[in-house]
Amino acid sequence: MLQFDEKEINEIRQRTTLAIINKLVKDNEVILTSDTLVPPDARATWNLYYYCPEHGVRLIWDRHNDKDHRCPVDGKVFRGEPYDGAWWRWLNDLNSKACYELGLLWQLTQEPKYLNKVKDILLKYAINYPHYEVHGDIPYNGPGKANAQTLCEANCHLNFARGYDFIRDDIQSFEREKIEESLLREGAEFLIAHRSPQLHNHEIRINAAVGVIGLLLGDERYINFALISDYGLHYQLNYGAIGEGMWFEGSIHYHYYALQSLLIYEKIAYKTPYSVGANPNLLKMIKLPLDLIMSNGRFPRLNDCIAGQEQVIQSEVFEFGYREYPFTILHQALQYIYSFEDRHNLEALLYGVDILKPVDSLKCQSSHKPYSGYTSEFNEERNHFMLVKHAPFGGEHDHYDRLNLVLCRNGKEIIPDLGTTGYGAELHYNYYKNSATHNTLTVDECNQSPNTPEVLYYDKNDSYTLLDVIADWNSPPPEVDSHVINQWSNEAYKGIVYRRTFIWFGDCVLDLTKVHNPEKRRLDMTYIVRGSHCHDESFIPIINPFSKVLARLENCSQNSFDEQALRYHIEGEREFNQQIFVNQKSLMYLCSGLDNPATSKVAYTVVRSQSERFSSVVLHDLDGGAMVKSVSWINDALVEIELCRNGVNSRYQYNYSTSKLAFV
């Protein structure tokens, strides 16, 4: 067995608790209590099709019913494709996971039923796998055999290989030969043939699967392909972890997904010459997202992050990570995870240190990552938080939301990033992924074209933090070493210069926007609040004015304004207040739209202008004691703001030429 030597597995057996045994049995109950079933042909498709198209939530999977697929919200049953094929993909996933977990149970208990089930699953796949037809038309993805994309193929083979490692010494030689040749080698060759020449979390997973099979079979060709070829693991680490260590795709979910793949490989290779542990970007990737935890204790749902994936639950990263790199922040991450659950999990058992001593709590914090492209601010006393996204374009899992804003008030995300839902659901591409469903600029209701924002100025002092960032579409578009599908409009953003300055006072935020719009296109600045608009008689009810992504918004009303105070009802909390000032008369739309999940609503405020030079000042009042008394645009470079905070008036001038804020 490669994963653990005899001494290690004996120590693991001694530490194993009945709770862990019972959990492994329960998690695999559906496999243990039913006949082994594998797809007879290439009918399995994609698990992300297994979502309700209306509510964007995962359907209920039933091992004994591959024809009826029920929504957990309203009980509606869906039949046929794409749900049937997705059902079989879930089965493949459960089978492969069972190979790993039941193989481990065999090692922990020596009960033959676990050995026999793993052997039965592996041999059935070994018989069928060479005959599965290559198939799949999933966006951005290569094909599969047992599944419909290369990534899913890699996921299954990682578990097949590790499960096989647990039983290899305890089965007959002809059984080993069949599994190794007809399943593992067939799988590795398929993955090698279909790995794409790109930076991507998929390619890391594919490399990890080929590498693990290579280590298991002692095949240098597989190992070298996975490790040192172009787009191998070292290439991915060297070029995919940008700046301070953020995975280039910009989604914390995919950041950790890439890390999990790397560490599945590393947990087998770390004692060999084929380790990736010495690559400095591995440690950077393990640590960086912890700097972006919001004051609600979760990661922001940046880019493609399905609701629920923002939780800090990555024990599979931090247990092994802390053992190999004993940094305090990794210790704090583990302590945070185990403040919500017991430390009775496989990662702690197999890879963790024996004892975690108490340390200071993992905290939300202020951080500035100019190269990765994220700046956050935290008021510890009031538990307020701000995050600004100024990251470079990250390819297929990016959202088109340069200079997007996220705000938490008293530990609750009040101006949210909605994230997304399952990619097979209509709401993914047609709602969540678009510029208009973020707190940023949209031109002609089209998605922002790829752009690399620039930090013009950053100043943090005892009175405030100032961040001045710009997205200039006169600059050449960034080149991303990753496959993308054009879902934006280069024409709409031609010549647009979008600048946004945030002044964080801790109890409120001044949000200054300046847009150069030489062709006088239709500009929409969107502000999404997790609440509902309080009634304002100055707004006139209208039919939805939007033609594209926001055409699904409801309860629309309109006002023409140059300054407007807004109040939002927040269930169970005090109201949230905004003030919006513009340099020329503009339209304001108030609407309601879908939150995530789509079973609740959020409030949309959209400011529309076709001015050649649009400017706005927005006050986001977090404490309830701030008010902008006046805004004066002195000239194109200078704006003067009179701000009252808790009864104290201050007058500021912001100079766009110097990016400096001055008291007047």
Side-chain angles (χ1 to χ4, degrees), residues 18-33 94 97-98 101-102 105 113-114:
L18 183 60
I20 287 178
I21 298 294
N22 289 341
K23 186 176 188 307
L24 283 169
V25 172
K26 183 178 179 181
D27 289 349
N28 293 277
E29 185 176 10
V30 69
I31 300 298
L32 285 168
T33 59
L94 290 176
K97 184 173 80 73
E101 294 185 356
L102 297 181
L105 265 176
K113 62 182 177 181
Y114 303 128

Side-chain angles (χ1 to χ4, degrees), residues 29-37 63-64 117:
E29 185 176 10
V30 69
I31 300 298
L32 285 168
T33 59
S34 57
D35 293 337
T36 300
L37 177 65
R63 162 65 177 81
H64 303 291
K117 177 59 79 169

Side-chain angles (χ1 to χ4, degrees), residues 64 214 222 315 390 467 479 591:
H64 303 291
Y222 292 169
S315 59
H390 45 90
L467 173 69
E479 294 184 4
C591 310

Side-chain angles (χ1 to χ4, degrees), residues 449-474:
S449 56
N451 185 278
T452 301
E454 178 185 357
V455 176
L456 297 176
Y457 190 71
Y458 174 76
D459 178 27
K460 184 176 178 64
N461 56 56
D462 292 339
S463 300
Y464 59 83
T465 299
L466 189 150
L467 173 69
D468 187 6
V469 285
I470 191 168
D472 184 351
W473 277 274
N474 291 298

